Amino acid sequence: MREEGQSQVGGTRGGPRARQGSPESEPGAHRRPRPLAALGASPGSVEALGARGAARARGAGDRGSRGPARGGRPPFRGPGGWLLLACWLWLPARCPGRSPGAGELRCLQMSAFANRSWARSDVLALVGGLRAYRWDGASDAVSFLTPWARGSWGQRRWDDLQHLFRVYRRSFTRDVQEFVKMLRLDYPFEIQVSAGCEVLPGNTSQSFFHAAFQGQEILRFQGTSWVPSPSAPVWADRASGKLNEDQGTRKTLQLLLNDTCPLFVRDILEAGKSELEKQVKPEAWLSSGPSPGPGRLLLVCHVSGFYPKPVWVTWMRGEQEQPGTRRGDVLPHADETWYLRVTLDVAAGEAAGLSCRVRHSSLGGRDMVLHWGSPTGLIAVAVLLSLVITGCVGYLTLKRRCSYQNIL
């Protein structure tokens, strides 16, 4: 989570362009004013989030849209599994320094467009790597996944935020559909967005907004404007140019990312301090994987159950790191802890003397070291075998005793 100071978007005309300038764009919006200045943005700048085309935003987006036509892609089953998969597979692979700090808010959006009549967006937000908020595409309200997720913000502030999110979602859907026409893209497709900020020491912060099309990063918000990603397709240049024409949205996005987001995160950090700052020590063990070839071994170091996410694991010979070490993805457990698998392909005769070294904040500055072929592993196997044998003997004894009782 750290392409900070930047922001990316994909496929919106100005990103979270809330077509909020028209009271008809949101049911009930005319009943009372929306004091969006309380969110860190001036009312005038937020109105610029989509004064253009506000009326035509009505009816766009998830709610009220028709289902996919026959042969189209079916709706997602829910944001839980595949959204987390996007978080830990797509995002870490494309955004350097991905391990989240305790002071980071990251919103992960997955949007599916089956055809020009059906679209759905689901959002999951994480604070310090912990799931804190979910926004189901079929709902108008954000769900709080932890008791501390509300922070100290009052209901009025939450109402204003959710109003802004709803406008963003409708605008996002409509704008992507317009880009499809302009760029002559084909349905179906998916767009992923990663946006948020991280609070750093010294009362500073870094923000980001990235977007990908079909898993490939295409746009980012850098400084004050949209720029295509280095590996983006050619049409991303046209998309970023069109987005940059909307100055009101660009100014509003800067305020939301650089002002509102850090204020919100600092409040949440205080409310969830005990959970966000918890330390859980890892468990580690060694095993061998499928043989890479004749005369070779695949050594596997498993590290599991640790929190927070940042961890350093490598294979060593003495004090020398082994260059062939391959690190897998850090994957989540259901209890919010993490798991990592690190492997090393070596010749069978060279495995002796190798060790796996684990470094984590919960270990108090002391590394965990596991030696390949150490007596510890043999003792564990011996203990396991003795328990199995004892259990079998006990079972046979009990069975024989029951047989005698039946005879008598």
Side-chain angles (χ1 to χ4, degrees):
M1 289 187 159
R2 274 188 187 99
E3 293 205 38
E4 327 316 310
Q6 299 177 349
S7 251
Q8 301 177 30
V9 74
T12 26
R13 182 164 301 167
R17 184 157 111 235
R19 302 195 199 291
Q20 185 175 337
S22 168
E24 293 84 11
S25 64
E26 178 65 24
H30 63 282
R31 296 176 187 171
R32 63 178 178 84
R34 296 278 179 179
L36 291 167
L39 304 180
S42 66
S45 65
V46 176
E47 288 300 323
L49 259 178
R52 295 187 301 158
R56 60 191 176 86
R58 186 172 54 222
D62 297 27
R63 293 177 64 87
S65 61
R66 293 183 296 169
R70 289 189 182 181
R73 184 169 298 182
F76 288 117
R77 302 301 180 197
W82 56 262
L83 191 53
L84 288 175
L85 187 65
C87 168
W88 286 293
L89 297 185
W90 173 70
L91 291 169
R94 289 164 175 78
C95 301
R98 186 53 52 192
S99 296
E104 183 188 76
L105 169 67
R106 180 170 295 274
C107 300
L108 304 169
Q109 174 185 336
M110 295 284 285
S111 297
F113 291 80
N115 50 52
R116 64 182 181 181
S117 302
W118 185 91
R120 171 174 173 138
S121 293
D122 294 277
V123 178
L124 179 72
L126 302 96
V127 177
L130 297 179
R131 290 169 286 178
Y133 311 94
R134 184 178 63 234
W135 189 17
D136 193 319
S139 173
D140 274 341
V142 174
S143 300
F144 300 94
L145 304 182
T146 66
W148 45 265
R150 287 183 177 271
S152 63
W153 283 34
Q155 189 60 44
R156 183 68 173 270
R157 272 184 161 185
W158 275 113
D159 288 345
D160 292 330
L161 272 178
Q162 295 199 115
H163 171 78
L164 187 60
F165 296 156
R166 287 191 294 269
V167 176
Y168 159 70
R169 184 166 63 182
R170 287 197 304 274
S171 174
F172 179 89
T173 301
R174 177 65 68 179
D175 288 339
V176 169
Q177 291 168 340
E178 290 180 355
F179 274 114
V180 169
K181 294 178 183 178
M182 181 182 78
L183 302 172
R184 297 183 180 180
L185 303 177
D186 296 323
Y187 292 99
F189 59 85
E190 295 172 1
I191 290 177
Q192 302 90 16
V193 174
S194 172
C197 66
E198 182 173 12
V199 173
L200 303 172
N203 202 33
T204 60
S205 64
Q206 294 176 327
S207 61
F208 50 91
F209 198 119
H210 309 283
F213 178 86
Q214 296 290 68
Q216 179 184 4
E217 188 180 359
I218 54 172
L219 292 171
R220 63 184 61 178
F221 191 80
Q222 185 169 322
T224 60
S225 61
W226 302 103
V227 296
S229 300
S231 60
V234 175
W235 54 259
D237 289 322
R238 292 185 62 194
S240 60
K242 194 68 174 176
L243 291 170
N244 285 326
E245 293 177 4
D246 191 343
Q247 296 185 15
T249 296
R250 288 193 285 130
K251 289 181 180 179
T252 301
L253 185 57
Q254 284 180 263
L255 285 170
L256 291 174
L257 290 175
N258 299 328
D259 297 334
T260 304
C261 184
L263 288 174
F264 177 77
V265 170
R266 289 187 179 96
D267 180 73
I268 295 300
L269 290 179
E270 187 62 30
K273 186 175 182 178
S274 59
E275 187 168 354
L276 290 168
E277 295 183 0
K278 71 179 180 181
Q279 297 282 329
V280 182
K281 292 183 179 181
E283 296 179 358
W285 66 96
L286 306 180
S287 70
S288 59
S291 175
R296 302 198 67 80
L297 287 175
L298 184 66
L299 311 185
V300 184
C301 182
H302 307 263
V303 184
S304 181
F306 56 91
Y307 185 88
K309 186 178 180 181
V311 67
W312 181 84
V313 182
T314 193
W315 281 95
M316 309 276 292
R317 185 180 297 279
E319 295 301 317
Q320 297 296 319
E321 295 184 30
Q322 296 304 288
T325 299
R326 298 176 67 90
R327 174 187 170 110
D329 293 316
V330 181
L331 301 174
H333 285 309
D335 63 356
E336 307 285 4
T337 61
W338 301 90
Y339 167 80
L340 175 63
R341 183 175 181 266
V342 177
T343 62
L344 181 64
D345 177 359
V346 297
E350 298 178 359
L354 290 171
S355 63
C356 177
R357 186 180 294 266
V358 180
R359 201 168 287 165
H360 188 257
S361 58
S362 65
L363 299 175
R366 300 182 62 183
D367 294 350
M368 181 185 294
V369 181
L370 293 85
H371 297 276
W372 180 259
S374 66
T376 303
L378 298 177
I379 293 172
V381 173
V383 171
L384 180 61
L385 287 175
S386 66
L387 289 174
V388 172
I389 294 172
T390 302
C392 291
V393 171
Y395 171 75
L396 293 174
T397 302
L398 180 61
K399 186 176 181 180
R400 187 177 303 168
R401 183 178 300 170
C402 292
S403 300
Y404 291 154
Q405 289 177 349
N406 291 334
I407 294 174
L408 295 175

